[in-house]
Structures are given as structure tokens and as C-alpha cells.
Amino acid sequence: MLARIADRRAGRSEATLQADIRQLLLAGDFGLSDGHLDDVDLEAPAGGGRRIDIEVGYTLIEVKRRLQTGRPLLEAERQLGGYVRSRSLESGQRYVGILTDGATWRAYQLTGEALALIDTHTLAASRPDGLALFYWLEGVLATSQRVRPAPAEVARRLGAQSTSHKLDRAALAALYSEHEHLPTVKLKRELWAKLLDSALGTQFVDKPDLFVEHTLLMNSAYIIAHLVVGIDALELQPQDLITGQRFDQARVLGVVEHDFFGWTTEVPGGREFIQGLTRRLARFDWLRADHDILKVLYESMIGPDTRKRMGEYYTPDWLAEHLVDTVVTDPLRQRVLDPACGSGTFLFHAVRRYLAAAETEGVPLDAALTQLTHHVVGVDLHPVAVALARVTYLLAIGHQRLTDQRGAITIPVYLGDSMQWRERRDLFTEEHVRISAGYNASKEEEWLRFPRTLLDEPSRFDQIVAGLASIAAKPRDPDIPPSLAAFFHHMRIEPNDQPMIRGTFEAMCRLHDEGRDHIWSYYLRNLARPVWLAMNENRVDILVGNPPWLSYRHMPRDMQTRFRELSRDRGLWHGREFATNQDLSALFVARAVQQYLRDDGSFAFVLPNSVLDREYFEGFRRGWYEDTAEPTAVTFTASWDLRRLRPHPFPRGAGVVFGDRATLSTYRGLPTVTERWTGRVPTEAKSWRQVEPLITREAADLVAGGSALSESPYKPQFTQGATIVPRVLFFVETDTGGRLGLGAGRHAVRSARSNLEKAPWKDLPALEGVVESEFIRPVLLGESLLPYRVLPAKKAVLPLDGSALMTGPGSRLDYYFGVAEWWQKAEATWEAHRSSARLTLAERLDFHRGLAAQLPAPPLRLVHGKAGMHVAAAIVNDPAAIIDHKLYWAPIASWEEGLYLSAILNSGALTELVRPMMSYGKDERDIDKHVWKLPIPQYDDGNALHRRLAELGQQQSENAAGLHLTDGTNFVVLRRQVRAELARHPATPEIEAVVMEMLG
């Protein structure tokens, strides 16, 4: 049936195609069936004699025999637009339209009065992918019911690439564009920007798209918060959903708050938007959701680029559970803070541990819940993560405990900056906390003030602020100020505190009258709480979590500057060639301990494994962090090395460090013995009970990466190759120019494309031109290298004149018309799309003199790979070849020297020796110059052992050269084939023994 639907060539009528599509909708798992034939209407009346081809729920489908571009398509869109507008006006609901000829499917919705194309899908007639079409259509229809919220289903149906998400995103963007100038919307965006500027610091950029994205994700999170506790969100008014009225009635505060993102229910069209969004989310049976599905939801909604920019890597449940059990030894008497809580994995297990202990000791439920929110606290700087973490906290408490007799509780998860990139001590005076609400009509600054002591009880403080805002919003006689006596009595406000609170209430009344109220509780609660936690008397007993693993090279420039300042102040900055490898995680831990951990308090953090033994974390491992404001010291007590777990629980190798806050006289560096974990852990494993039997844990020495005394004399001789990127501007395919040719010494060239290209370059058209042959140079890439063997080089247009780069004023580039024209186009493309304003294209090409250092090239060079699970090396004897930055190279004096080094570098023993020094990714893969930290001696022709290694290297080289390799095979596969052949060669055991004896 799918093949028939997709076949445009078949002699079919529109009526036949309509019937087939209707049957597809009934046969597919769309929540429709033959028992509900009325769910799918053919030729549904649309008034004025018009009929809609197919109507399904809130979706209208217009079918054409063939969708053609130009006037026929415009006419079909006009017709569909009329149907969608008509149905939307009749029902007050948001409708989606589909245009299709069976092969092409186009989804539309109204943006204002215009019909806008949102997403397309193509169904191939030869091999139709029914599953892909199902997910595309289901995202539009949103008619499925009680879908089990398995991770894959959540990602496919709600993730950023789903049709559902694209439709909701486009609808919300149009809604914001239409109403962004309304006072309520402007105020909320201004306060959102102000808070996130404080929370995210230099990572925050105030853009309308980001505000729309946060609004969509937060509105989604709030709807899900209702669904996971069994509240029928479809029965609630949109206003109640987004402001959390049901939670307020249940006296569960801080789950859904009236915040920046409630503007959707305050503008025309917002109600319909929330209803449509609720329908899409209610497809799932959220009562069957495990708490970790919120982690999946967050990861699928927030794009990988955003998570990478924040340095976010989420912790598997079994590891979080065991880590909490290990460090939280007295849950009823220890206060726990996760300062980078993400979607709440560590919070979940800390809450469960506290409640289990309370039940064991017979603590009444009401008292246990009240104390819980003081004992387990979370902070994160991403609003969507915070919203989901609050739901996770609810799930940890459990439905039954929430429905039993209890007092009011506040979920203590806050949107804030644990790093305190920009310290906000100005929020607090000796006696009170204050926040500026901007200026009133007379341009006088308006302050909301509360006694500091009220923040000691988060639940009570939130109730006070929310209660005052509620009274201020009620109708009142302007000549008779409302009485607060009953409120003061109910909330137990001391007489000495009442005048300050009365002044704040009067300010709230003025804000309400000026249309500037609603979100001050949210704003104050989130901005002030991390600062409050940093005060000596409020510090916690336990810090636990997984801080952001954000590399220096991925930080915005302003953040890099601040990161260097804070790191240098604490002795954490390593600089030199390691600058780009430095990581926010170590500074985060030092800063969190400094600000939030009481004396003798303990911490346990999941960190990149490089923290355990890489040079650039040496300052962190020392345990003493100098700072003029407040020097901080820790005693490291233990570490876990998780790098050998398979599959890796993180995209990079991981470890765990444990310690206590100490003093200058008691601090102690990280022990040189770690606990190494090995084993295979199924990805579906959730509990520590499942994982523990699968893991071997043993003591192991930590090997810090090399010392100057043991380094090889070859280390300073090896240089990284040229940074020839973006490749679309340099690498080419060549042509002779056809039958007529192009004349001697010239070639037609076109950019060589690859599926490894990244945005924005992958989306740009190829460059084309005719270039002089002398400027088409062979380039060796990382993928060109096998053990003992070099694959054919790639071709690149490089404006090289002898030993110099021909660019800039006064160069000879203009003498060569072909390459000059190519370079001009390449420069224009670079200037239009580069992300950095610092480098010209020529500066990028010769970054750190990676190109100039190769010119003129020596007759013999040895190259080895920058990255890989195994070291690979070979001799290069082509002086014209340019070495790419994925390789390191050095000149060699003779073939014998090259064979000697090749034998050492390609040996399995060398890889095993260097692997503990390698930087970690998914596996140990960043070789860089770590090989030269081993004492590899300079080749000496008078040394019999050196000559023997050269002889053995010659045998291996001949063996690799004679191996038949299939063209087009991936280089990783080819390397594996060569290594397997070398392993069988009789010279291999001797090479391995000699290398191990020489270096081991």
C-alpha cells in the first residue's frame, strides 16, 4: 500500500489516493481504527460547497495527484489555507494542514493569517520507509493515546527533530512575533534576560529565538509536571496549567511557578497554543514513566550543541545511586547540595535515601517532608533542566506521600549560578534581602525587601511572597489600604518584621496597578537562594553531583577571560600548550567547595578522567586553592577510575573524586592510588544492585603524564601539521576540462565534499574554478596514514610560492589568475560564515605556523597520527606533500632512522605504554605528542639494538606494502587489517620485546 501511495507514475485518481491514505491512517498505530471510522472523514464539508479531502482530529489533508512547483502548488496552498483558517475560527483550536501526493508530504500551520510550511517528508516508491512516515505523520496528527514513555519513543515524538516539536516551535515563534511589544511580554523577557545574565554570565546571549525556545520547553515541562502525578492536564484551563494552580491548591510550591514563560496565557492565541501543546504531550502515559525519562526528555529537547556549550554530560542512575549512598552517610543530619543538578538524577537518590532513613527512625511523614526540603537542595543554570529536576524531586517523594496528610512543602530546586561568575552579594544587607523591581511611574527605584531570617525556611518564605502577591492582585478600594493582620498572624510574622513586609506589599500593589507584577516570587527565590546558600551559616554538609565538563576552547571569549582570572587566582591555570584542554569542572569544584561546603564537609563529584593524572589538572590535585577573598583547601580522600568500563557511561572517560574541606595545615593532595573499575555494564542497567556484580574494582597506581627527565629527545622535533579547514575552501576534485582541455598546466577544480563537514560549511555550495597545476598540492590527512604505509594523498588548492604563502598586499598571487580567483572566492566565503572575528583565512591556514614550518619540506619525514586507539606511523618521501593537522611530523636523516622509529611507534607495546598518558575521549584516543614523553632514544647507527629495530621495521614495512587493500574502504578498517597482518609476522614478537625492554 505504501509503494502504491508513493508511486506518482501510477494511473490513479485523487479519489483512489484519498482512500489509500485513509486506509493507511486506520491501519497505522495512530490511535484510530476501523471501529472508529468517523475519526477519519473523507470529503468533510467546509462550507460554501467546499469539501476537505481528509479530516483527522485537528489535521486537514489535501490530496493532489501530483504536487508541482509554481502556480499549482500556490493554488493548492491557498485552498488548504482557507480550510485551516475556517476550522480554526469555528473551533477555537489550532489546526495543522497537510498537502500530499503520496510521495511528498508537506505540513503547514497558520502564522497570523498566512499559511506557513513547517516540515516536509518524502516517501520513496521503490523502498518506502513506513516507520519514518509513521513518526512524521503521528507528530502532525497527535492522535495516539497511552504511548509508553520509553526513551526512544520520547525522543522520536517530542525531540527537537520531531514534527511535533517543529510545529509547536513555529507556532510559538509566530505568537511571540505578533505580541512581543505588549507590556506583559516585554517585562517578562526583560526579567528573563536579567536573571539569566546573572545566572549564565558570559554564556548568555539575549536573543528572541532563545526566549521562544525556553518558553516552549518550560511550558512543556509544566504540562508534564501535571501529567506525571496523575492530573488530567486536558481538563485544566491553560492558565491553570502554566501557573500551577493545582499544585498551589495542594500546597506543593515551587514545582510550577508563575514565571517569565507564562506570557503564553496572557496574549490572544496563547490559549489555543497551550491546548495544542497539551494534546501532543498527553499522548504519553506519563504515570508509567520512570524518573530517568525526564533526563531523556531534556536531552532530546535540548540540542547537542547547546549541551556541549554548557558542558553537560548526564550521569547514569546506578552511578548516581551508589555515589549518593557512599558519601551521604547520615542522611537525616547531613544537608546535601547538588550545585549542577541537571534534570535531578542525584537529587532523586538523595531524596529517596533521606526518606528511607526517616521511615526507619519513625519520623512522622509531615515532619520528614518539611525537613527533606531543607536537607536536599539543587541548583542549575538552565531553566528547562530546573523545571524537569523539580518534577524528578516530586517523583522521588512519590504519589502516596504527597496525598497523605502533610503540611505545605516547597521543592528546593533553584535556577541560579553556582559558580557565581558575577557575585551578587548586593542582594543582602545585614538585616534583609532586597531586589530591585525597576522604576515606578515617577522614575523612583522600587525595592522589595524581606527580613533575611525568612529565607531560613524556604517553604514559608515562598508562601509569604506568593501570599502577598495574591492579596495585591485582588480588587481593592484605593482609598482604604487592605489589612494584613490576618496574613501576619497566619504566616507567623514577628512584629519587628511587619513594617518592612508592609512596605514591600505596598510596592507590590503599585507594581500590580502598573501591570508589572506576577513573577517577583519566582525572581527573588531563584536569584537569592544560591547567594544565601553561600553564607557561612547556611553552608551544607555534602556536595555531590556532576559539574559541567566545558573545555576552555568551547567557552565564549568573555567566559575564557573570566575563567583564566578565577583559575589563576586559585593556582589552577596551566596555560601554555594545555590551555585549550583545560576544563571548567575542576574550577567548578574548587568554587563550589569555597562557597557552599562547611568546614569538614565532604564532597564527591563525577569529573573527566583527565582530572586524575593529566598535567593541566596538577593544580587541582594539589588541594590548595589560593584566593585573596577566601583561600580554600581540601583533603582528597579517594578516587575512582571509570575509564575502563565498557561501554563508557559518558562521551568522555570519567572518574570520581572524594574529599573533605580542610585547612592550610591539614590539606592533602589526591592520592596516587586510585580504585580502578573494569567490566561491561548494559546500557539498560539502572540500579547499583544490577551493576555491582558486573564490575571488578581494584587498586591501581595513577600514572601522571611523563616528566622532562624521561622525555625523548625527539619531542621538540615533532610538529603538528597545517590547519587546512574548512575543507570546502581548499580540498578539491580535479578534471582536465573535457575534450577541448584547458591548456597545459591548468586543471578544472571543484570542492571535494564529505559527510564529515560541519555547519555552516556543509550547507554551502561547492567552489568551482580553473587553477594552475602548481597550486594543487597533495595533502596527507590523518586518514591517509596506516602503520608503515601512506595511502594516496588528497588534493588541495594552496597558494604557495616556493616556501611562502602568497597572500596579502605585495604578494605575487595576482600573477596567477586561476588561483587568485579561487582564493578571492574562498576568502569571501570565509568572511561571510566564519564564527571567529580574530583570524583571516590566511591566518587560519597558517595557524601557529603549521604550514610555513613545512616549507621547504625535507626529503624524508616521519609522520604519526594525532588521534586513534593505536599509534600509527610511516615514512613520507614526497617533499611536495603537505601534512595536515591530524598528523605530527619531523625530518629524519635516513631511511634507517625512519624504520627504527616506525618499528617502535607501530608496536603494540608502545601503544600500551602511552595509553595511560593519552587524553580521553570516548576511548583513549588523543595521542598528540604524548608518545615522546616516553624515553625513546635518538637513533644511533652505532647501536646494534637500534640497527636491529631498523631491520625489523624494514621487514614489517615490506609486509605492509605488499598487502592488498580494497579501494574505498574506511581507513579505520584498513588500519585494523594492517595491524592484524603485522601481528602474524615473525618479526613482531622480537619488536615487542625490544620496545618493552627499551621503554618499559
Side-chain angles (χ1 to χ4, degrees):
M1 181 168 62
L2 283 170
R4 189 168 68 245
I5 287 172
D7 189 359
R8 292 192 183 105
R9 298 169 300 175
R12 60 188 180 183
S13 65
E14 283 186 10
T16 300
L17 183 56
Q18 288 174 23
D20 280 347
I21 291 174
R22 180 175 186 270
Q23 185 57 38
L24 172 68
L25 297 176
L26 292 171
D29 187 15
F30 295 106
L32 311 166
S33 67
D34 289 327
H36 299 83
L37 298 182
D38 291 341
D39 290 344
V40 185
D41 292 336
L42 288 178
E43 299 293 335
R50 301 175 304 163
R51 290 190 175 274
I52 300 167
D53 288 347
I54 303 174
E55 182 171 2
V56 190
Y58 297 100
T59 303
L60 310 177
I61 303 177
E62 183 65 20
V63 179
K64 301 296 180 185
R65 286 187 60 194
R66 188 177 187 88
L67 281 179
Q68 299 176 335
T69 57
R71 186 183 296 274
L73 178 60
L74 291 174
E75 177 57 30
E77 289 175 336
R78 185 196 63 76
Q79 182 181 0
L80 180 63
Y83 295 153
V84 173
R85 272 188 294 274
S86 175
R87 282 290 192 263
S88 297
L89 287 172
E90 290 171 7
S91 65
Q93 299 286 344
R94 180 160 58 105
Y95 271 73
V96 179
I98 292 177
L99 270 181
T100 184
D101 59 3
T104 298
W105 297 75
R106 298 165 63 92
Y108 299 82
Q109 66 184 7
L110 293 176
T111 57
E113 287 297 309
L115 193 69
L117 177 65
I118 305 301
D119 199 20
T120 62
H121 182 80
T122 301
L123 184 66
S126 56
R127 298 181 65 183
D129 186 344
L131 195 60
L133 177 63
F134 164 77
Y135 280 111
W136 188 89
L137 264 176
E138 201 281 329
V140 178
L141 299 173
T143 53
S144 297
Q145 299 295 319
R146 300 186 63 77
V147 178
R148 185 175 183 83
E153 291 299 302
V154 169
R156 285 175 183 150
R157 298 181 194 239
L158 297 179
Q161 299 306 311
S162 68
T163 318
S164 283
H165 186 88
K166 292 175 182 177
L167 287 165
D168 292 330
R169 180 76 166 70
L172 186 60
L175 194 68
Y176 175 75
S177 178
E178 185 177 358
H179 301 296
E180 61 181 313
H181 300 298
L182 292 179
T184 184
V185 180
K186 288 179 65 177
L187 173 68
K188 286 179 170 59
R189 179 175 166 188
E190 287 169 6
L191 292 173
W192 164 83
K194 189 175 179 181
L195 178 60
L196 288 191
D197 183 59
S198 175
L200 300 182
T202 55
Q203 297 179 77
F204 173 67
V205 180
D206 181 5
K207 292 183 177 179
D209 287 351
L210 184 62
F211 184 57
V212 169
E213 177 182 295
H214 281 192
T215 300
L216 173 59
L217 298 179
M218 292 293 278
N219 282 194
S220 300
Y222 292 163
I223 295 167
I224 291 168
H226 291 80
L227 295 168
V228 297
V229 295
I231 298 172
D232 187 350
L234 292 170
E235 294 295 321
L236 296 181
Q237 291 298 315
Q239 175 78 12
D240 296 339
L241 274 174
I242 302 306
T243 59
Q245 186 183 76
R246 286 292 295 274
F247 286 104
D248 290 345
Q249 290 173 353
R251 296 207 296 169
V252 180
L253 306 177
V255 180
V256 177
E257 299 181 285
H258 199 155
D259 55 23
F260 317 123
F261 311 105
W263 63 268
T264 47
T265 62
E266 299 168 9
V267 300
R271 175 180 173 276
E272 292 81 2
F273 170 77
I274 295 298
Q275 287 174 330
L277 180 62
T278 304
R279 281 200 307 273
R280 297 186 190 284
L281 294 172
R283 290 177 286 167
F284 289 88
D285 184 4
W286 292 101
L287 283 174
R288 293 196 291 168
D290 294 329
H291 73 276
D292 62 341
I293 201 63
L294 298 173
K295 185 190 311 179
V296 174
L297 183 69
Y298 177 74
E299 291 178 340
S300 63
M301 284 181 157
I302 302 295
D305 290 343
T306 300
R307 296 201 307 276
K308 182 177 181 180
R309 189 169 66 248
M310 299 293 186
E312 294 173 340
Y313 298 103
Y314 280 91
T315 310
D317 265 279
W318 57 264
L319 179 57
E321 175 193 350
H322 184 53
L323 199 55
V324 167
D325 288 349
T326 301
V327 72
V328 183
T329 55
D330 190 1
L332 295 185
R333 279 157 281 280
Q334 292 173 320
R335 294 179 60 231
V336 180
L337 170 66
D338 182 349
C341 66
S343 60
T345 302
F346 285 94
L347 296 179
F348 181 89
H349 294 288
V351 169
R352 284 287 170 93
R353 185 161 175 76
Y354 177 90
L355 291 174
E359 187 173 333
T360 299
E361 292 201 9
V363 178
L365 178 62
D366 187 16
L369 292 180
T370 300
Q371 288 301 309
L372 166 66
T373 58
H374 185 68
H375 277 76
V376 180
V377 181
V379 177
D380 201 276
L381 50 67
H382 199 295
V384 182
V386 168
L388 295 177
R390 290 169 177 170
V391 179
T392 299
Y393 203 107
L394 267 188
L395 292 177
I397 294 173
H399 300 165
Q400 186 58 48
R401 293 188 182 95
L402 289 172
T403 54
D404 282 345
Q405 293 297 316
R406 56 163 174 79
I409 59 173
T410 293
I411 303 302
V413 182
Y414 305 101
L415 175 66
D417 169 27
S418 294
M419 273 287 299
Q420 290 290 293
W421 291 98
R422 301 175 183 175
E423 295 184 87
R424 293 299 307 268
R425 303 288 180 178
D426 59 302
L427 294 172
F428 290 86
T429 70
E430 288 298 321
E431 298 180 351
H432 63 270
V433 57
R434 66 178 189 172
I435 187 170
S436 172
Y439 294 86
N440 60 25
S442 62
K443 295 299 181 183
E444 294 179 356
E445 191 163 11
E446 201 90 65
W447 291 95
L448 306 179
R449 292 180 171 87
F450 295 90
R452 281 180 56 161
T453 54
L454 292 184
L455 271 76
D456 294 341
E457 298 180 59
S459 179
R460 179 171 168 241
F461 174 72
D462 281 13
Q463 290 179 69
I464 290 171
V465 178
L468 291 174
S470 176
I471 299 170
K474 291 179 179 177
R476 61 184 183 276
D477 188 329
D479 298 324
I480 304 175
S483 172
L484 294 179
F487 177 79
F488 287 153
H489 173 76
H490 178 68
M491 297 308 304
R492 309 186 314 280
I493 306 296
E494 295 293 334
N496 291 341
D497 294 335
Q498 292 179 12
M500 182 182 296
I501 293 179
R502 189 178 297 280
T504 292
F505 173 71
E506 291 170 357
M508 284 184 165
C509 291
R510 290 192 294 271
L511 289 169
H512 178 270
D513 295 342
E514 295 172 12
R516 298 190 296 129
D517 61 344
H518 301 314
I519 63 172
W520 301 109
S521 170
Y522 175 86
Y523 192 67
L524 182 58
R525 158 185 157 87
N526 288 285
L527 193 62
R529 186 62 59 176
V531 183
W532 179 85
L533 285 167
M535 295 177 177
N536 283 329
E537 64 273 20
N538 302 321
R539 290 178 175 174
V540 299
D541 305 287
I542 302 291
L543 288 174
V544 65
N546 181 355
W549 300 9
L550 181 62
S551 295
Y552 177 82
R553 61 183 176 272
H554 294 140
M555 297 177 188
R557 193 180 306 176
D558 290 346
M559 187 179 183
Q560 288 179 339
T561 301
R562 182 63 174 148
F563 173 78
R564 282 197 305 270
E565 292 172 356
L566 292 172
S567 296
R568 281 178 176 143
D569 288 347
R570 291 158 180 78
L572 300 174
W573 180 254
H574 202 286
R576 300 191 300 280
E577 70 268 31
F578 300 109
T580 60
N581 294 325
Q582 299 205 92
D583 191 289
L584 176 60
S585 58
L587 175 61
F588 187 100
V589 172
R591 191 95 163 114
V593 169
Q594 176 188 22
Q595 296 187 112
Y596 306 116
L597 192 62
R598 67 162 177 79
D599 293 341
D600 297 324
S602 299
F603 62 85
F605 284 105
V606 180
L607 298 170
N609 198 272
S610 46
V611 163
L612 301 182
D613 53 14
R614 292 285 75 85
E615 299 95 318
Y616 39 93
F617 284 107
E618 183 180 352
F620 175 74
R621 293 194 295 272
R622 187 171 59 245
W624 169 252
Y625 314 123
E626 184 65 63
D627 180 35
T628 54
E630 185 181 357
T632 307
V634 303
T635 293
F636 286 106
T637 54
S639 67
W640 296 342
D641 181 351
L642 311 182
R643 180 163 47 105
R644 286 166 176 78
L645 292 179
R646 295 294 184 272
H648 282 298
F650 301 92
R652 296 166 57 188
V656 178
V657 296
F658 298 86
D660 303 320
R661 184 160 184 161
T663 64
L664 177 59
S665 60
T666 61
Y667 83 95
R668 187 170 68 244
L670 187 72
T672 57
V673 175
T674 187
E675 183 178 276
R676 179 186 295 164
W677 294 21
T678 56
R680 300 196 67 85
V681 179
T683 54
E684 64 274 12
K686 293 183 179 181
S687 70
W688 175 244
R689 181 177 52 80
Q690 294 173 296
V691 171
E692 186 177 17
L694 307 176
I695 292 178
T696 300
R697 305 164 70 175
E698 58 187 359
D701 292 332
L702 288 170
V703 181
S707 69
L709 294 176
S710 63
E711 288 177 351
S712 169
Y714 281 107
K715 183 178 180 180
Q717 300 177 35
F718 274 82
T719 305
Q720 192 171 3
T723 311
I724 311 175
V725 293
R727 292 191 177 185
V728 68
L729 304 184
F730 299 104
F731 286 88
V732 296
E733 298 169 345
T734 60
D735 193 354
T736 58
R739 292 184 177 182
L740 293 178
L742 296 168
R746 301 168 77 232
H747 283 282
V749 292
R750 176 184 175 86
S751 298
R753 307 315 297 258
S754 164
N755 58 6
L756 299 178
E757 291 179 87
K758 298 180 180 178
W761 313 107
K762 67 179 181 180
D763 301 318
L764 299 180
L767 300 186
E768 298 185 42
V770 176
V771 173
E772 295 81 1
S773 302
E774 63 199 275
F775 301 110
I776 303 173
R777 298 291 291 265
V779 176
L780 297 178
L781 306 173
E783 63 202 61
S784 308
L785 183 64
L786 307 180
Y788 295 101
R789 181 168 172 174
V790 177
L791 296 173
K794 305 296 183 181
K795 297 176 182 178
V797 174
L798 299 173
L800 298 175
D801 180 13
S803 60
L805 191 61
M806 292 192 308
T807 59
S811 72
R812 299 178 65 246
L813 182 64
D814 290 339
Y815 293 6
Y816 303 93
F817 301 126
V819 72
E821 184 179 355
W822 178 278
W823 185 254
Q824 186 178 23
K825 288 188 288 188
E827 279 191 315
T829 304
W830 170 256
E831 292 296 329
H833 299 283
R834 65 178 176 171
S835 59
S836 169
R838 289 177 289 180
L839 300 179
T840 65
L841 184 59
E843 290 168 339
R844 180 62 174 157
L845 179 59
D846 197 28
F847 187 63
H848 290 327
R849 298 192 75 251
L851 183 59
Q854 301 186 45
L855 304 171
L860 289 178
R861 287 172 286 180
L862 188 88
V863 297
H864 72 79
K866 177 182 183 295
M869 281 289 290
H870 300 265
V871 183
I875 298 171
V876 174
N877 62 349
D878 180 4
I882 301 297
I883 308 300
D884 178 69
H885 73 291
K886 291 295 185 180
L887 298 171
Y888 281 84
W889 68 275
I892 50 176
S894 64
W895 275 94
E896 289 74 19
E897 182 179 20
L899 292 169
Y900 158 81
L901 289 173
S902 296
I904 294 173
L905 295 177
N906 289 314
S907 68
L910 185 284
T911 291
E912 287 305 310
L913 289 170
V914 79
R915 183 164 286 168
M917 303 179 189
M918 290 161 60
S919 302
Y920 312 131
K922 183 178 179 182
D923 291 291
E924 304 86 342
R925 62 184 181 191
D926 291 330
I927 297 163
D928 294 308
K929 293 176 71 173
H930 295 301
V931 290
W932 308 112
K933 294 173 184 174
L934 295 171
I936 300 173
Q938 190 84 30
Y939 177 70
D940 180 1
D941 191 55
N943 186 308
L945 192 60
H946 291 192
R947 289 200 310 273
R948 180 55 181 164
L949 276 177
E951 292 169 4
L952 295 170
Q954 177 67 36
Q955 296 176 31
Q956 293 281 43
S957 179
E958 292 172 355
N959 185 27
L963 186 62
H964 174 72
L965 302 177
T966 304
D967 291 342
T969 305
N970 183 274
F971 76 97
V972 176
V973 176
L974 295 179
R975 285 182 182 176
R976 192 179 301 126
Q977 290 178 355
V978 173
R979 286 198 306 272
E981 182 65 22
L982 295 176
R984 291 189 287 268
H985 194 275
T988 296
E990 187 177 351
I991 291 175
E992 299 294 337
V994 170
V995 170
M996 187 58 72
E997 180 182 353
M998 179 186 292
L999 307 179

